[in-house]
Amino acid sequence: MKLTFELRPGIDQVGYVDYNVRDFHSYDTRLGATYNAYLVRDEKVALIDTVKAPFAEQLKRNVAALVALDSVDYLVCLHAEMDHSGALPEMVRACPNAVVVCNAKCREALAGFYDVSDWKFQIVNSNETLSLGKRSLTFVNVPMVHWPESTVCYMPEEKILFSNDAFGQHIATSNRFDDECDLPKLLEEAKSYYANIVAPYGRQTLKVLDVVGTLELELIAPAHGVIWRSHIKEILDEYPKWASGQYAPKVLVIYDTMWQSTELMAEEIYAGAVEFGQTLAKENPNEPRLDVHLMHARKTTLTRMAAEALDAAAIAFGSATLNANLMPRMAAVLAYFQGLKFREKTALAFGSFGWGVGGPEAIHKTLETLKYPVLDLSPLKAKQRPDATTLDACRNAGAALAKAAWERYLGDK
Ligand code: FEO
């Protein structure tokens, strides 16, 4: 099969739509993914990014359908991560006259992954322009969005930003522009992508957004997902909220349980928060409703939990005690969130124990490490089955989390 589609005359998407990927280095790609590569045919021919190594033949077929491979002048590498550079060695072999164009850090990263000893490189610095004839590419380094060598490039003649990972979404679809898809679904996937991939680098992302804000844009062509054409404003409105960690009126209750004692506590915390939200809704009919999620950690993917956590203002984390510690899935959740460096959340540790202690205490300790402000009654514990008094305390804790979430939301408005 060969399958390409045109963005503009002489500019085509030649990458690969992967309907089958379900695990992208732990990211749950339930909707599949795409690896976008763009071929620009001008006086010079440039391929911007490649695809994952297993799809190199498909990329080569797509490029060869449009130009002779020996007429490719530039293989532009905006990011060395292997979902974009994996097919680069094959393209270097297949395009004997091509020079690899990238920044110095990218060359270093590529040399760490591949044998580049016989590759021809042209190193470009930030703000440097590469002329392709009638059109050109201006490179802007965007370090740590999300790797040190990450780069975007802008084509002023066509007002196209080739944004690599930024503004991407993990979604496989035959519809290739934003206005051919359901916008809320796209924004949800873009948010999930941001939360799971870019979130640790919010400060750097905000700097990039300042630069992007100065550009005239008709297309944003990311390396994953659909191309932004009709909803550029919408995605550019959302990104600063995500990058700054803007709070939504949202509470999460994330827990793992052995024999349902911690689950009973979680349900009561959830109910307390929902009840508080119902009162808020009556008092504030013109405000958004408080959103409360009950998430069993072993029945919810890390990807989904992170996507919801990005803008949550308060989170309760619960675990039963296992071997004088927290349960392994909750350890994974906390480790994952720690790495993603979300803005602080008002928090609560809770959970049950039998003859030993340790589950809720371990969560509480981690929350302190994360510098999350915790409710006074944290860690909230139940010995074996929670009694009525403990369940009342859980309900009150849910209401307190909801109140804190609401205040954080109002503070950010
Ligand atoms: Fe899509 Fe950071 O690679």
Side-chain angles (χ1 to χ4, degrees), residues 24-25 34-35 79-85 145-147 149-150 164-166 170 193 197-198 223-224:
F24 185 99
H25 60 51
T34 69
Y35 318 106
H79 178 27
E81 193 166 8
M82 276 120 129
D83 48 334
H84 308 295
S85 72
V145 184
H146 65 126
W147 275 24
E149 84 297 349
S150 292
N164 195 263
D165 277 342
H170 275 323
Y193 187 90
I197 304 283
V198 190
H224 297 292

mmCIF file of all heavy atoms in Angstrom, residues 24-25 34-35 79-85 145-147 149-150 164-166 170 193 197-198 223-224, ligand 1:
data_model
loop_
_atom_site.group_PDB
_atom_site.id
_atom_site.type_symbol
_atom_site.label_atom_id
_atom_site.label_comp_id
_atom_site.label_asym_id
_atom_site.label_seq_id
_atom_site.Cartn_x
_atom_site.Cartn_y
_atom_site.Cartn_z
ATOM 1 N N PHE A 24 2.338 2.391 23.907
ATOM 2 C CA PHE A 24 3.412 3.234 23.376
ATOM 3 C C PHE A 24 4.287 3.608 24.572
ATOM 4 O O PHE A 24 3.962 4.505 25.316
ATOM 5 C CB PHE A 24 2.779 4.479 22.734
ATOM 6 C CG PHE A 24 3.737 5.387 22.028
ATOM 7 C CD1 PHE A 24 3.889 5.348 20.650
ATOM 8 C CD2 PHE A 24 4.494 6.316 22.744
ATOM 9 C CE1 PHE A 24 4.762 6.200 20.009
ATOM 10 C CE2 PHE A 24 5.367 7.167 22.103
ATOM 11 C CZ PHE A 24 5.500 7.116 20.741
ATOM 12 N N HIS A 25 5.354 2.895 24.781
ATOM 13 C CA HIS A 25 6.157 2.923 26.011
ATOM 14 C C HIS A 25 5.304 3.264 27.245
ATOM 15 O O HIS A 25 5.562 4.197 27.988
ATOM 16 C CB HIS A 25 7.430 3.782 25.895
ATOM 17 C CG HIS A 25 7.264 5.240 25.579
ATOM 18 N ND1 HIS A 25 6.426 6.071 26.266
ATOM 19 C CD2 HIS A 25 7.879 6.018 24.665
ATOM 20 C CE1 HIS A 25 6.518 7.292 25.786
ATOM 21 N NE2 HIS A 25 7.392 7.292 24.803
ATOM 22 N N THR A 34 -0.435 7.891 15.101
ATOM 23 C CA THR A 34 0.142 8.134 13.778
ATOM 24 C C THR A 34 1.551 8.677 13.967
ATOM 25 O O THR A 34 1.863 9.285 14.989
ATOM 26 C CB THR A 34 -0.657 9.182 12.949
ATOM 27 O OG1 THR A 34 -0.480 10.451 13.556
ATOM 28 C CG2 THR A 34 -2.121 8.848 12.869
ATOM 29 N N TYR A 35 2.371 8.417 12.970
ATOM 30 C CA TYR A 35 3.726 8.987 12.931
ATOM 31 C C TYR A 35 3.755 9.793 11.650
ATOM 32 O O TYR A 35 3.840 9.229 10.559
ATOM 33 C CB TYR A 35 4.787 7.876 12.942
ATOM 34 C CG TYR A 35 4.414 6.798 13.932
ATOM 35 C CD1 TYR A 35 3.941 5.568 13.504
ATOM 36 C CD2 TYR A 35 4.466 7.059 15.301
ATOM 37 C CE1 TYR A 35 3.531 4.609 14.415
ATOM 38 C CE2 TYR A 35 4.058 6.103 16.217
ATOM 39 C CZ TYR A 35 3.594 4.884 15.768
ATOM 40 O OH TYR A 35 3.174 3.953 16.670
ATOM 41 N N HIS A 79 13.464 15.701 16.020
ATOM 42 C CA HIS A 79 13.446 15.065 17.348
ATOM 43 C C HIS A 79 14.002 13.656 17.175
ATOM 44 O O HIS A 79 13.567 12.918 16.277
ATOM 45 C CB HIS A 79 11.984 15.058 17.817
ATOM 46 C CG HIS A 79 11.714 14.412 19.131
ATOM 47 N ND1 HIS A 79 12.625 14.318 20.161
ATOM 48 C CD2 HIS A 79 10.555 13.847 19.615
ATOM 49 C CE1 HIS A 79 12.064 13.713 21.187
ATOM 50 N NE2 HIS A 79 10.821 13.412 20.877
ATOM 51 N N ALA A 80 14.957 13.299 18.025
ATOM 52 C CA ALA A 80 15.657 12.019 17.838
ATOM 53 C C ALA A 80 14.908 10.821 18.407
ATOM 54 O O ALA A 80 15.316 9.682 18.191
ATOM 55 C CB ALA A 80 17.044 12.098 18.474
ATOM 56 N N GLU A 81 13.816 11.042 19.146
ATOM 57 C CA GLU A 81 13.114 9.892 19.716
ATOM 58 C C GLU A 81 12.698 8.956 18.580
ATOM 59 O O GLU A 81 12.327 9.383 17.481
ATOM 60 C CB GLU A 81 11.906 10.339 20.552
ATOM 61 C CG GLU A 81 11.384 9.182 21.397
ATOM 62 C CD GLU A 81 10.425 9.577 22.505
ATOM 63 O OE1 GLU A 81 10.003 10.745 22.572
ATOM 64 O OE2 GLU A 81 10.087 8.681 23.314
ATOM 65 N N MET A 82 12.725 7.653 18.895
ATOM 66 C CA MET A 82 12.685 6.666 17.803
ATOM 67 C C MET A 82 11.349 6.541 17.087
ATOM 68 O O MET A 82 11.281 5.914 16.031
ATOM 69 C CB MET A 82 13.141 5.316 18.313
ATOM 70 C CG MET A 82 14.657 5.242 18.277
ATOM 71 S SD MET A 82 15.282 4.969 19.875
ATOM 72 C CE MET A 82 16.329 3.585 19.544
ATOM 73 N N ASP A 83 10.296 7.116 17.646
ATOM 74 C CA ASP A 83 9.040 7.085 16.878
ATOM 75 C C ASP A 83 9.131 8.021 15.676
ATOM 76 O O ASP A 83 8.346 7.902 14.733
ATOM 77 C CB ASP A 83 7.823 7.431 17.736
ATOM 78 C CG ASP A 83 7.979 8.664 18.584
ATOM 79 O OD1 ASP A 83 9.123 9.003 18.920
ATOM 80 O OD2 ASP A 83 6.974 9.304 18.907
ATOM 81 N N HIS A 84 10.112 8.922 15.690
ATOM 82 C CA HIS A 84 10.302 9.833 14.546
ATOM 83 C C HIS A 84 11.605 9.595 13.795
ATOM 84 O O HIS A 84 11.721 9.958 12.630
ATOM 85 C CB HIS A 84 10.255 11.291 15.019
ATOM 86 C CG HIS A 84 9.035 11.568 15.834
ATOM 87 N ND1 HIS A 84 7.767 11.497 15.310
ATOM 88 C CD2 HIS A 84 8.880 11.844 17.153
ATOM 89 C CE1 HIS A 84 6.880 11.741 16.262
ATOM 90 N NE2 HIS A 84 7.525 11.937 17.387
ATOM 91 N N SER A 85 12.581 9.011 14.484
ATOM 92 C CA SER A 85 13.872 8.804 13.819
ATOM 93 C C SER A 85 14.115 7.342 13.465
ATOM 94 O O SER A 85 15.104 7.023 12.799
ATOM 95 C CB SER A 85 15.022 9.291 14.715
ATOM 96 O OG SER A 85 15.197 8.408 15.811
ATOM 97 N N VAL A 145 10.999 20.198 25.294
ATOM 98 C CA VAL A 145 9.581 20.020 24.918
ATOM 99 C C VAL A 145 9.523 18.925 23.855
ATOM 100 O O VAL A 145 9.255 19.175 22.706
ATOM 101 C CB VAL A 145 8.953 21.323 24.405
ATOM 102 C CG1 VAL A 145 7.468 21.143 24.112
ATOM 103 C CG2 VAL A 145 9.142 22.451 25.401
ATOM 104 N N HIS A 146 9.889 17.717 24.175
ATOM 105 C CA HIS A 146 10.123 17.276 25.532
ATOM 106 C C HIS A 146 11.495 16.599 25.710
ATOM 107 O O HIS A 146 11.765 16.023 26.761
ATOM 108 C CB HIS A 146 9.014 16.293 25.950
ATOM 109 C CG HIS A 146 9.018 15.002 25.161
ATOM 110 N ND1 HIS A 146 9.056 13.787 25.778
ATOM 111 C CD2 HIS A 146 9.027 14.739 23.840
ATOM 112 C CE1 HIS A 146 9.047 12.820 24.870
ATOM 113 N NE2 HIS A 146 9.034 13.379 23.686
ATOM 114 N N TRP A 147 12.357 16.683 24.712
ATOM 115 C CA TRP A 147 13.730 16.181 24.830
ATOM 116 C C TRP A 147 14.692 17.357 24.630
ATOM 117 O O TRP A 147 14.275 18.401 24.089
ATOM 118 C CB TRP A 147 14.005 15.098 23.764
ATOM 119 C CG TRP A 147 13.577 13.696 24.137
ATOM 120 C CD1 TRP A 147 12.624 13.337 25.032
ATOM 121 C CD2 TRP A 147 14.105 12.472 23.604
ATOM 122 N NE1 TRP A 147 12.510 11.969 25.093
ATOM 123 C CE2 TRP A 147 13.401 11.409 24.234
ATOM 124 C CE3 TRP A 147 15.085 12.154 22.667
ATOM 125 C CZ2 TRP A 147 13.659 10.066 23.952
ATOM 126 C CZ3 TRP A 147 15.338 10.815 22.384
ATOM 127 C CH2 TRP A 147 14.639 9.782 23.035
ATOM 128 N N GLU A 149 16.923 17.966 22.479
ATOM 129 C CA GLU A 149 17.178 18.400 21.100
ATOM 130 C C GLU A 149 15.900 18.799 20.366
ATOM 131 O O GLU A 149 15.956 19.164 19.186
ATOM 132 C CB GLU A 149 17.886 17.275 20.326
ATOM 133 C CG GLU A 149 16.961 16.202 19.738
ATOM 134 C CD GLU A 149 16.182 15.393 20.763
ATOM 135 O OE1 GLU A 149 16.490 15.489 21.949
ATOM 136 O OE2 GLU A 149 15.240 14.676 20.372
ATOM 137 N N SER A 150 14.762 18.742 21.013
ATOM 138 C CA SER A 150 13.477 18.979 20.338
ATOM 139 C C SER A 150 13.479 20.305 19.585
ATOM 140 O O SER A 150 13.964 21.322 20.091
ATOM 141 C CB SER A 150 12.327 18.979 21.350
ATOM 142 O OG SER A 150 12.139 17.698 21.879
ATOM 143 N N ASN A 164 6.284 18.873 15.419
ATOM 144 C CA ASN A 164 6.737 17.612 15.992
ATOM 145 C C ASN A 164 5.790 17.165 17.111
ATOM 146 O O ASN A 164 4.598 17.111 16.903
ATOM 147 C CB ASN A 164 8.203 17.694 16.447
ATOM 148 C CG ASN A 164 8.754 16.308 16.689
ATOM 149 O OD1 ASN A 164 8.786 15.847 17.823
ATOM 150 N ND2 ASN A 164 9.146 15.612 15.641
ATOM 151 N N ASP A 165 6.293 16.853 18.321
ATOM 152 C CA ASP A 165 5.405 16.301 19.352
ATOM 153 C C ASP A 165 4.372 17.322 19.853
ATOM 154 O O ASP A 165 3.285 16.933 20.311
ATOM 155 C CB ASP A 165 6.226 15.807 20.553
ATOM 156 C CG ASP A 165 6.782 14.400 20.344
ATOM 157 O OD1 ASP A 165 6.282 13.677 19.470
ATOM 158 O OD2 ASP A 165 7.724 14.043 21.066
ATOM 159 N N ALA A 166 4.735 18.597 19.834
ATOM 160 C CA ALA A 166 3.821 19.616 20.385
ATOM 161 C C ALA A 166 2.518 19.629 19.590
ATOM 162 O O ALA A 166 2.531 19.520 18.368
ATOM 163 C CB ALA A 166 4.479 20.987 20.339
ATOM 164 N N HIS A 170 -2.499 11.106 20.229
ATOM 165 C CA HIS A 170 -2.381 9.705 19.813
ATOM 166 C C HIS A 170 -3.752 9.228 19.358
ATOM 167 O O HIS A 170 -4.612 8.871 20.173
ATOM 168 C CB HIS A 170 -1.852 8.836 20.960
ATOM 169 C CG HIS A 170 -0.356 8.844 21.038
ATOM 170 N ND1 HIS A 170 0.458 8.864 19.930
ATOM 171 C CD2 HIS A 170 0.485 8.834 22.110
ATOM 172 C CE1 HIS A 170 1.723 8.858 20.299
ATOM 173 N NE2 HIS A 170 1.776 8.859 21.611
ATOM 174 N N TYR A 193 -2.348 13.529 25.687
ATOM 175 C CA TYR A 193 -0.972 13.507 25.164
ATOM 176 C C TYR A 193 -0.098 14.477 25.961
ATOM 177 O O TYR A 193 1.007 14.152 26.394
ATOM 178 C CB TYR A 193 -0.969 13.878 23.675
ATOM 179 C CG TYR A 193 0.377 13.713 23.045
ATOM 180 C CD1 TYR A 193 0.744 12.507 22.473
ATOM 181 C CD2 TYR A 193 1.307 14.747 23.067
ATOM 182 C CE1 TYR A 193 2.000 12.337 21.931
ATOM 183 C CE2 TYR A 193 2.558 14.585 22.532
ATOM 184 C CZ TYR A 193 2.901 13.383 21.957
ATOM 185 O OH TYR A 193 4.151 13.211 21.434
ATOM 186 N N ILE A 197 2.963 13.084 28.240
ATOM 187 C CA ILE A 197 4.253 13.191 27.548
ATOM 188 C C ILE A 197 4.964 14.511 27.879
ATOM 189 O O ILE A 197 6.165 14.527 28.136
ATOM 190 C CB ILE A 197 4.062 13.107 26.012
ATOM 191 C CG1 ILE A 197 3.329 11.826 25.608
ATOM 192 C CG2 ILE A 197 5.391 13.241 25.270
ATOM 193 C CD1 ILE A 197 4.127 10.561 25.604
ATOM 194 N N VAL A 198 4.236 15.585 27.867
ATOM 195 C CA VAL A 198 4.887 16.912 27.923
ATOM 196 C C VAL A 198 4.809 17.537 29.310
ATOM 197 O O VAL A 198 5.587 18.447 29.633
ATOM 198 C CB VAL A 198 4.253 17.863 26.862
ATOM 199 C CG1 VAL A 198 5.052 19.144 26.716
ATOM 200 C CG2 VAL A 198 4.151 17.183 25.495
ATOM 201 N N ALA A 223 3.656 15.829 14.632
ATOM 202 C CA ALA A 223 4.176 14.522 14.229
ATOM 203 C C ALA A 223 3.257 13.385 14.663
ATOM 204 O O ALA A 223 3.511 12.228 14.334
ATOM 205 C CB ALA A 223 5.571 14.321 14.804
ATOM 206 N N HIS A 224 2.220 13.696 15.438
ATOM 207 C CA HIS A 224 1.234 12.688 15.841
ATOM 208 C C HIS A 224 -0.169 13.266 15.664
ATOM 209 O O HIS A 224 -0.431 14.402 16.074
ATOM 210 C CB HIS A 224 1.379 12.317 17.323
ATOM 211 C CG HIS A 224 2.684 11.680 17.671
ATOM 212 N ND1 HIS A 224 3.053 10.421 17.242
ATOM 213 C CD2 HIS A 224 3.709 12.115 18.438
ATOM 214 C CE1 HIS A 224 4.245 10.121 17.728
ATOM 215 N NE2 HIS A 224 4.666 11.139 18.449
HETATM 216 FE FE1 FEO B 1 6.719 11.439 19.407
HETATM 217 FE FE2 FEO B 1 8.955 12.405 21.740
HETATM 218 O O1 FEO B 1 8.341 11.393 20.321
#
